[in-house]
Amino acid sequence: VKRRVREIASLLLVDRARRQFGLASSPPTLHMSCTGGPSTPKTTVALRIAYILHALGYSRTSRLHTVTRDDLVGQFIGHTAPKTKEAIARAAGGVLFIDEAYYLFRQENERDYGQEVIEILLTEMENERGDLVVIFAGYPDRMATFFGANTGLSLRVPHHIAFEDYSTAELLQIADLMVVAGRVSPKMAPVL
């Protein structure tokens, strides 16, 4: 994950240098996908990405606005677009992080309003790409189905970051660090 984030940051540094030297450069597409199992730090890394994009001058703010399907999809006709546009407005200048994004696509229900959210996002991701970065997150298998269902979405999300599950040894290291930092009492450490 760290290597992939460094690669993305390096691409942005090269783009910035090209612009500073007056070389041809087009604004990079920064939309991303973070896939991994439960308890992998997808949201934490998205926060870091928001900070990096701001520090490099690719966003006006380091704000990360996190949403789920419930924050975007309305209950009735005409309710979804305003909810989605409000979430986009809150993320403007920063990053919109859509957790468990695959819930927006429900193939079994063609009258589901999640498809409307995806269509609005596709438009905004293209039209506002200089002022909005969208990060989709979720479990790998479900996210593969999500991206496979919409080619336009796949084309607008060039950066994919895969989070591996922690090994037992890594989980023990994390627990040790938490004990040392005082986040967990030593008595609880054996439970972890």
Side-chain angles (χ1 to χ4, degrees):
V1 170
K2 288 178 183 179
R3 186 181 74 242
R4 186 68 184 113
V5 171
R6 283 187 196 109
E7 288 170 355
I8 294 167
S10 295
L11 288 171
L12 297 178
L13 288 171
V14 168
D15 175 69
R16 189 170 71 178
R18 290 181 63 83
R19 283 187 286 135
Q20 287 173 342
F21 289 109
L23 299 171
S25 173
S26 60
T29 302
L30 299 172
H31 307 302
M32 300 176 199
S33 168
C34 293
T35 58
S39 299
T40 52
K42 297 179 289 289
T43 307
T44 302
V45 170
L47 280 164
R48 197 73 187 138
I49 289 170
Y51 172 80
I52 291 168
L53 293 175
H54 178 64
L56 293 176
Y58 283 89
S59 63
R60 288 184 285 125
T61 176
S62 61
R63 177 179 50 243
L64 178 84
H65 182 58
T66 303
V67 296
T68 63
R69 175 188 165 87
D70 291 343
D71 300 309
L72 302 171
V73 177
Q75 300 291 327
F76 48 86
I77 293 174
H79 191 223
T80 296
K83 285 182 81 169
T84 302
K85 289 181 180 179
E86 179 185 340
I88 291 169
R90 286 184 179 200
V95 175
L96 177 64
F97 181 78
I98 304 174
D99 201 12
E100 297 180 328
Y102 41 77
Y103 284 128
L104 293 174
F105 174 71
R106 293 200 172 155
Q107 186 175 7
E108 71 280 356
N109 184 354
E110 59 189 47
R111 294 186 328 192
D112 182 68
Y113 299 129
Q115 185 59 40
E116 183 179 355
V117 172
I118 294 170
E119 290 168 12
I120 292 168
L121 285 170
L122 286 171
T123 301
E124 295 299 317
M125 287 167 68
E126 188 61 32
N127 295 344
E128 300 297 327
R129 70 178 175 161
D131 197 46
L132 175 71
V133 174
V134 178
I135 299 178
F136 297 95
Y139 300 148
D141 54 342
R142 294 180 184 180
M143 290 299 287
T145 303
F146 175 66
F147 282 111
N150 191 313
T151 348
L153 198 55
S154 297
L155 294 172
R156 284 177 181 80
V157 181
H159 306 287
H160 296 269
I161 303 171
F163 292 73
E164 298 295 324
D165 289 335
Y166 290 115
S167 68
T168 304
E170 290 169 328
L171 288 171
L172 287 171
Q173 283 181 311
I174 292 169
D176 287 343
L177 290 170
M178 291 172 73
V179 169
V180 169
R183 289 190 195 150
V184 178
S185 76
K187 293 178 184 177
M188 290 181 63
V191 175
L192 297 173

